[in-house]
Amino acid sequence: MAIVGFTIGMIIGRLQQPAPLELEQIEELPAGLALWFNEQPQIQGDHVDGTVVLRFESWGRPWNGQLRIDNKVARWKLERNGKDLVLTLLAARPLHGDWSAAEVDGRWRLEVSLREQ
């Protein structure tokens, strides 16, 4: 009887547990990126030697790519660092970035806008 009660309690607990924060999609924009999450992300961002670095605690797979800013190539890479995902945006010239998150149709969109410094 105790085992059955314990098992039912574990099932109910799992059903009430919120979904973990997950990065679902990345879109390239004309001057940056849009990252789509299932929940609101907590973002820590910094500018390091002309590179834009964003860190957020989330599940997701590593990605990389490149985009054009003023007809010049900028590269981006998303990688895991422990429990965090780290997005690094790098170009041959120093970059400056602004980011903001907003809820859109039940998902959260983090928009990163880049420009030359």
Side-chain angles (χ1 to χ4, degrees):
M1 184 96 141
I3 293 173
V4 171
F6 177 75
T7 304
I8 291 173
M10 291 294 292
I11 291 171
I12 291 171
R14 286 281 183 187
L15 292 175
Q16 293 180 348
Q17 184 177 7
L21 179 63
E22 183 176 356
L23 175 62
E24 298 174 338
Q25 176 182 351
I26 296 179
E27 295 175 3
E28 292 182 5
L29 302 175
L33 294 173
L35 291 82
W36 291 89
F37 294 89
N38 62 337
E39 300 288 332
Q40 182 177 9
Q42 298 297 320
I43 306 151
Q44 296 175 344
D46 201 5
H47 297 89
V48 180
D49 296 328
T51 302
V52 177
V53 180
L54 299 175
R55 177 183 298 267
F56 28 86
E57 189 173 324
S58 175
W59 292 101
R61 67 179 178 89
W63 270 324
N64 60 39
Q66 63 183 26
L67 52 102
R68 292 204 168 271
I69 301 170
D70 297 329
N71 290 325
K72 297 176 186 168
V73 175
R75 298 189 184 279
W76 60 270
K77 178 169 53 170
L78 181 75
E79 53 192 348
R80 292 218 56 77
N81 185 354
K83 291 183 178 182
D84 296 340
L85 287 176
V86 178
L87 176 65
T88 305
L89 299 128
L90 173 69
R93 70 243 168 252
L95 292 175
H96 183 76
D98 298 311
W99 49 90
S100 63
E103 187 173 11
V104 178
D105 296 330
R107 298 190 314 165
W108 282 85
R109 181 177 191 222
L110 170 64
E111 187 170 324
V112 181
S113 300
L114 300 172
R115 65 182 180 281
E116 291 183 5
Q117 199 169 19

